[in-house]
């Protein structure tokens, strides 16, 4: 049976790959994207809705789908303030998830971060942890939370720390053994493939996926 996919965050690194995967997946006959601007893509299965994430109640009719994929995310530097960052990475995510649930969605896959925890010392990881907690409490039949290490792939914006990490990943990655392997670099395309694969399964409950599990879902064991 064909499904409808709803994607938030299609212009980001992971979100762009999720969109590609969904458009190429015969399991989905329709793909709806919600975003702040047009994504510049055209496809017979694709519908793009321009929304104001601060006023999602005005766009409730567009926030529908069987399966929800969320790759919304920013950085404190880009957001400008901690409050603005929290608004994107927590508030907007939760609002989109709530409206999608009200519209009939029952499964959700979402990108978080390795180390996310409500008890984390850093504001970034606490925000991600609170987002995970609040998404899991919304009543979805299935929630798959992805906590990748350093995301590898072509970015449209320059992030100095991530650029350095990407350059060092081939050297440092093999040395990160045991518990450190969860922090290794992993291709954003692998994360996207795993997200789509996760929601094609009927596996009720809340599931956390880190690098090793992400690679396995994507069909590339050891590829993280």
């Amino acid at each position: 049976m064909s499904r409808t996919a709803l994607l938030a965050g299609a212009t980001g690194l992971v979100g762009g790959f999720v969109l590609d995967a969904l458009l190429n997946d015969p399991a989905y006959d329709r793909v709806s994207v919600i975003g702040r601007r047009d994504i510049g893509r055209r496809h017979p299965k694709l519908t793009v809705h321009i929304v104001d994430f601060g006023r999602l109640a005005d766009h409730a009719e567009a926030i529908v789908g069987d399966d929800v994929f969320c790759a919304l995310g920013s950085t404190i530097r880009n957001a400008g303030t901690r409050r603005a960052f929290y608004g994107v990475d927590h508030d907007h995510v939760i609002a989109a998830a709530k409206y999608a649930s009200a519209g009939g969605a029952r499964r959700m896959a979402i990108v978080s971060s390795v180390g996310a925890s409500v008890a984390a010392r850093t504001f970034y990881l606490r925000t991600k942890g609170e987002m995970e907690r609040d998404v899991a409490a919304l009543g979805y039949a299935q929630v798959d939370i992805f906590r990748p290490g350093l995301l590898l792939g072509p970015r449209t914006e320059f992030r100095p720390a991530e650029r350095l990490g990407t350059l060092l990943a081939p050297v440092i990655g093999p040395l990160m053994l045991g518990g450190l392997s969860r922090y290794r670099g992993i291709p954003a395309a692998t994360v996207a493939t795993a997200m789509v694969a996760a929601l094609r399964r009927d596996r009720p409950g809340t599931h956390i996926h880190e690098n090793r599990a992400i690679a396995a879902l994507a069909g590339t064991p050891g590829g993280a």
Side-chain angles (χ1 to χ4, degrees), residues 78-122:
N78 286 346
T81 66
R82 286 190 171 193
R83 177 60 255 178
F85 168 77
Y86 195 89
V88 174
D89 283 57
H90 178 276
D91 297 347
H92 291 174
V93 171
I94 301 305
K98 282 182 177 178
Y99 282 105
S101 177
R106 292 295 175 264
R107 290 173 293 269
M108 184 172 190
I110 188 163
V111 182
S112 183
S113 173
V114 64
S117 169
V118 294
R121 292 185 178 182
T122 67

Side-chain angles (χ1 to χ4, degrees), residues 34-36 49-59 63 92:
I34 56 172
R36 295 177 301 165
H49 302 276
I50 310 302
V51 304
D52 178 349
F53 281 95
R55 299 171 58 91
L56 284 183
D58 296 340
H59 312 281
I63 311 174
H92 291 174

